[in-house]
Amino acid sequence: MDRPYVKVTVTEKGERALRNRHPWVYGEEVTGADGAYENGGIVDVYSQKGRWLGAGFVNDASKIRVRIISRNANDRFDGAFWERRLRYAVDYRRAVMGDDFSCCRLVFGEADGLPGLTVDRFEDVLVAQCMCLGMEKLKDGLYLKLVDIMYELGIKISAVYERNDAALREKEGMEQGKGFALGSGDGHVLITENGIKYDVDYINGQKTGFFLDQKYNRLAVAKLAKGRRVLDCFTHTGAFGLNCAAHCAEKVTSVDISAEALECAKRNAGLNGLDVEYVREDIFGLLTRMAEEKRRDYDLIILDPPAFTKSGATLKGAERGYKEINMKAMKLLPRGGYLATCSCSHFMTDELFRATLRSAAMDADVSLRQIEARHQGPDHPVAWDVPETDYLKFYIFQVV
């Protein structure tokens, strides 16, 4: 039986990428199509020699022209197909997250075969973001099915909220916006992570309202905090500092430039009865001043900055930024102090981040003793076929 989809042909470069199982075909890799298609629809992808390479969502408005959804020529892209994908994603999280299944990422885009779709679970609220036009056309049915799957597990979801207020949607030919896809609520939900309570503002908070990917990294750092003076930089909603305070740190100072973030962090500290000092200041300026004053106020420093680069074009500037904050933090620590540092940018590869840290240590005239090298939590799985899913690099060092 002939497949009903338009045939799109790709260059040899595009073919190599697909045969290496990367799921994206870029616009410059498409050489032609044998008919008219609708953006957001499904096309078949072929090599120059007529070999079928897969089927995927097509979008002429996107730099990524085709996002592969299947390499099985027998697949039918009906409701049962998408239900299987959702069930695989949920079953995986139940297996790897265990007791932490109540707050985790349920769907992680390409890593789950659901391109461009992110769904985070915060207790009985699901917060979604869609960055693929093909998924945009299916999302309402997917949300309903996901709620049904959770109900089968004895979990009643009260609301699905969309955070489609990201500029990237415009590059995909979609409008920005946010709102309830299902149910309703006041925009706040109380969660517990690592035994600490947080008020998650899923309407106005960053991304989906809370960064779940650092869950176990926070715990790893907190284990070093007992009796130590902790400087938590780029604290956002306060999570690293609160974990350290809960593990009996002598003192915790959490810093952020955002007044709104600090107010949220203070509320979270109050929820848990934890004593944390909150400071509103630019981290670069703070570390510079403290380094110039040769202060040694802290023996555990945490650097959890936002992504300094979201493209290869700004990578050099990002390298300088990462080097600067890490070098100054290393200078501020006494001999034997501890540094936890990370990068959440895919473009800052692990190799490049390690080189940047090594250079910072040389300029700070210190040595680094690696305690742990970590990544994002397992609910944000790294698909080895898709390097873009491997984005979070997290290191804990003793500075000697």
Side-chain angles (χ1 to χ4, degrees):
M1 177 179 174
D2 293 336
R3 294 179 65 85
Y5 307 114
V6 170
K7 175 181 175 181
V8 169
T9 305
V10 298
T11 63
E12 291 184 1
K13 179 182 177 184
E15 178 187 0
R16 284 195 300 273
L18 291 180
R19 293 182 68 174
N20 286 330
R21 303 194 67 79
H22 196 283
W24 294 347
V25 177
Y26 292 95
E28 62 270 18
E29 295 170 346
V30 174
T31 62
D34 70 352
Y37 52 75
E38 180 182 349
N39 282 334
I42 296 173
V43 296
D44 280 318
V45 180
Y46 284 81
S47 71
Q48 296 284 315
K49 295 182 179 180
R51 174 177 176 173
W52 185 80
L53 301 170
F57 292 126
V58 65
N59 185 0
D60 291 339
S62 175
K63 181 179 178 181
I64 304 170
R65 184 67 55 83
V66 182
R67 297 174 187 260
I68 297 297
I69 56 175
S70 174
R71 301 174 192 274
N72 183 344
N74 296 317
D75 272 336
R76 297 176 58 188
F77 306 112
D78 54 13
F81 174 87
W82 297 111
E83 181 178 344
R84 285 195 300 273
R85 289 282 166 95
L86 290 172
R87 288 188 182 276
Y88 291 155
V90 171
D91 288 347
Y92 167 80
R93 271 65 183 194
R94 291 179 67 203
V96 302
M97 299 305 291
D99 293 340
D100 292 325
F101 181 61
S102 61
C103 292
C104 68
R105 177 150 293 181
L106 287 182
V107 176
F108 187 39
E110 276 75 356
D112 289 303
L114 296 159
L117 181 65
T118 296
V119 182
D120 286 343
R121 179 190 174 195
F122 301 115
E123 297 292 347
D124 65 337
V125 175
L126 303 184
V127 184
Q129 190 173 70
C130 185
M131 299 296 169
C132 170
L133 182 58
M135 298 302 293
E136 178 83 1
K137 294 187 173 187
L138 298 172
K139 65 182 185 181
D140 291 342
L142 297 181
Y143 298 154
L144 285 170
K145 181 52 64 177
L146 191 52
V147 170
D148 286 345
I149 291 170
M150 299 297 283
Y151 188 77
E152 291 173 15
L153 299 174
I155 300 164
K156 185 177 181 180
I157 299 300
S158 65
V160 178
Y161 191 83
E162 288 190 297
R163 287 296 303 267
N164 287 332
D165 51 340
L168 183 59
R169 279 179 60 90
E170 296 180 357
K171 295 183 179 180
E172 298 289 314
M174 299 183 288
E175 295 181 353
Q176 294 190 51
K178 59 182 181 177
F180 286 97
L182 293 170
S184 62
D186 64 1
H188 290 262
V189 60
L190 186 67
I191 69 168
T192 301
E193 179 194 270
N194 300 338
I196 298 172
K197 297 181 178 66
Y198 298 92
D199 172 26
V200 174
D201 180 353
Y202 58 84
I203 292 180
N204 298 309
Q206 288 189 32
K207 296 292 181 68
T208 62
F210 189 79
F211 293 108
L212 293 164
D213 52 1
Q214 295 272 32
K215 184 192 306 276
Y216 300 125
N217 296 337
R218 294 172 186 134
L219 198 56
V221 173
K223 291 176 181 177
L224 292 171
K226 185 175 182 179
R228 303 192 189 283
R229 298 159 297 154
V230 179
L231 178 63
D232 170 26
C233 301
F234 309 98
T235 193
H236 189 227
T237 53
F240 272 104
L242 293 174
N243 273 263
C244 291
H247 280 72
C248 303
E250 177 185 321
K251 173 186 178 182
V252 178
T253 302
S254 292
V255 185
D256 205 286
I257 191 62
S258 167
E260 293 79 8
L262 289 176
E263 284 304 312
C264 181
K266 290 176 184 177
R267 288 197 301 273
N268 290 331
L271 284 172
N272 295 278
L274 294 172
D275 182 19
V276 177
E277 177 189 16
Y278 289 102
V279 175
R280 185 186 180 193
E281 191 163 349
D282 172 68
I283 300 299
F284 286 88
L286 174 65
L287 295 180
T288 298
R289 188 179 73 252
M290 293 177 66
E292 290 173 349
E293 296 171 358
K294 297 181 179 181
R295 291 165 58 178
R296 295 288 188 273
D297 296 348
Y298 303 97
D299 45 15
L300 170 56
I301 297 178
I302 303 161
L303 300 176
D304 181 24
F308 286 165
T309 179
K310 296 183 179 180
S311 73
T314 57
L315 186 56
K316 286 296 181 183
E319 286 183 62
R320 291 192 293 271
Y322 284 116
K323 180 177 177 179
E324 180 181 344
I325 60 170
N326 280 280
M327 177 185 67
K328 287 175 178 173
M330 292 172 194
K331 286 184 175 181
L332 291 175
L333 286 166
R335 180 179 176 84
Y338 295 90
L339 173 66
T341 183
C342 68
S343 166
C344 61
S345 171
H346 157 69
F347 294 95
M348 175 61 72
T349 65
D350 188 49
E351 180 180 9
L352 185 55
F353 189 50
R354 289 169 65 97
T356 301
L357 294 175
R358 191 175 292 112
S359 178
M362 290 182 64
D363 286 1
D365 195 26
V366 300
S367 295
L368 299 177
R369 179 179 293 162
Q370 181 177 313
I371 300 169
E372 288 193 67
R374 305 178 61 86
H375 295 275
Q376 65 250 35
D379 52 336
H380 298 63
V382 175
W384 279 32
D385 300 332
V386 193
E388 291 79 4
T389 61
D390 185 7
Y391 67 94
L392 182 60
K393 284 73 59 178
F394 192 95
Y395 286 92
I396 305 175
F397 298 107
Q398 186 178 43
V399 177
V400 294

